[in-house]
Amino acid sequence: MEAEGLDWLLVPLHQLVSWGAAAAMVFGGVVPYVPQYRDIRRTQNADGFSTYVCLVLLVANILRILFWFGRRFESPLLWQSAIMILTMLLMLKLCTEVRVANELNARRRSFAAADSKDEEVKVAPRRSFLDFDPHHFWQWSSFSDYVQCVLAFTGVAGYVTYLSIDSALFVETLGFLAVLTEAMLGVPQLYRNHRHQSTEGMSIKMVLMWTSGDAFKTAYFLLKGAPLQFSVCGLLQVLVDLAILGQAYAFARHPQKPVPHAVHPAGTKAL
């Protein structure tokens, strides 16, 4: 009787914990971008955020969704990818609008200064996805160009997946590419810190959020029996986060002496 009473209490509790873990898995990945989004809206300046972060996460999560058609995994991971894609599109929309508005304001000031000096001002050409100019890739003038690129990539990748869905090697490779792309997100920041021997301009709080989130995500993969690619690349992502934290600790203890007349560009952390 006592065991039955405990079961009556533990079963709903276990279900509640499972729901909580699933919700954290679905929405936890986008939480670090909320303060970044609000900060860009408040300052009307997107220079501190690299839109290539959006590119990597869009590619990774589109590939993960396609992988689901070949090998079904936990539903929260599928919903997480959908939520992340929407979040990155919102970030791209805001960053594009802010950047274009700032360029327009700068152009107006240039025109005003040129009018007072009777000088001619060259207007920068509009950059479009349909120009297929590799020099302007992912630096377009309209949010619709980014949407076109995402839809084109999704269409091509989806068609290739449809043709090769019966190949176990292709499906496993697709899953590996999806999680490996996401796992490599912190590598540019790691390289930047090493090259400048400094973590100046990098948010330690943000890295701590990534580390805790990636650790939770990896534990979720292991406990839920997710495909091996997820667990391996999750561990790799945690190691990259820890390496960045190690750099912050080491450079704080042994700061580099400033070099006269040297300009060090501020780094943007890739989330």
Side-chain angles (χ1 to χ4, degrees):
M1 292 293 294
E2 185 178 351
E4 292 180 0
L6 287 176
D7 288 342
W8 176 83
L9 177 64
L10 292 177
V11 170
L13 183 61
H14 179 269
Q15 188 67 40
L16 185 63
V17 171
S18 297
W19 287 345
M25 195 68 212
V26 172
F27 297 104
V30 305
V31 170
Y33 297 97
V34 174
Q36 181 72 68
Y37 185 91
R38 296 180 62 184
D39 188 55
I40 292 174
R41 289 200 63 176
R42 179 177 56 85
T43 62
Q44 288 298 295
N45 187 342
D47 292 341
F49 179 75
S50 172
T51 54
Y52 286 100
V53 172
C54 301
L55 172 63
V56 173
L57 285 175
L58 284 168
V59 170
N61 285 280
I62 288 170
L63 293 179
R64 185 195 287 186
I65 291 175
L66 294 176
F67 175 56
W68 182 84
F69 288 98
R71 183 175 176 185
R72 302 298 170 90
F73 48 79
E74 288 286 318
S75 296
L77 300 180
L78 181 65
W79 283 108
Q80 181 200 49
S81 292
I83 297 294
M84 183 61 75
I85 289 173
L86 292 175
T87 302
M88 290 301 102
L89 289 175
L90 287 174
M91 290 294 298
L92 276 174
K93 186 175 186 297
L94 177 64
C95 290
T96 305
E97 291 174 349
V98 168
R99 188 184 73 246
V100 170
N102 290 339
E103 289 176 354
L104 181 60
N105 291 333
R107 197 176 305 155
R108 287 172 177 168
R109 289 192 294 268
S110 298
F111 277 125
D115 287 341
S116 63
K117 298 180 181 180
D118 293 329
E119 295 178 354
E120 183 181 355
V121 177
K122 294 182 178 180
V123 179
R126 183 185 183 279
R127 301 182 294 271
S128 172
F129 166 66
L130 295 179
D131 293 338
F132 300 109
D133 187 348
H135 296 96
H136 295 150
F137 178 75
W138 213 249
Q139 299 175 10
W140 301 308
S141 304
S142 173
F143 172 66
S144 61
D145 292 302
Y146 293 94
V147 175
Q148 291 173 20
C149 180
V150 171
L151 291 177
F153 173 78
T154 304
V156 172
Y159 182 67
V160 173
T161 302
Y162 173 76
L163 295 178
S164 309
I165 197 68
D166 293 329
S167 170
L169 177 61
F170 173 82
V171 171
E172 295 301 322
T173 302
L174 183 65
F176 181 75
L177 288 176
V179 289
L180 181 63
T181 303
E182 186 175 355
M184 292 292 101
L185 205 56
V187 172
Q189 182 67 45
L190 187 71
Y191 173 73
R192 182 265 171 196
N193 295 343
H194 174 73
R195 185 160 58 91
H196 294 289
Q197 292 295 293
S198 171
T199 57
E200 184 179 357
M202 185 189 73
S203 172
I204 300 298
K205 292 180 180 179
M206 187 70 76
V207 181
L208 288 171
M209 290 178 67
W210 292 331
T211 307
S212 59
D214 292 336
F216 172 81
K217 180 173 63 178
T218 304
Y220 184 91
F221 291 159
L222 294 171
L223 292 174
K224 290 294 184 177
L228 182 62
Q229 299 99 319
F230 285 60
S231 301
V232 171
C233 291
L235 289 171
L236 179 60
Q237 205 164 358
V238 172
L239 291 176
V240 172
D241 294 337
L242 292 176
I244 295 174
L245 289 174
Q247 286 180 323
Y249 176 76
F251 297 151
R253 291 196 60 184
H254 305 286
Q256 186 182 31
K257 294 181 180 180
V259 180
H261 308 296
V263 179
H264 300 283
T268 57
K269 178 66 178 80
L271 243 198

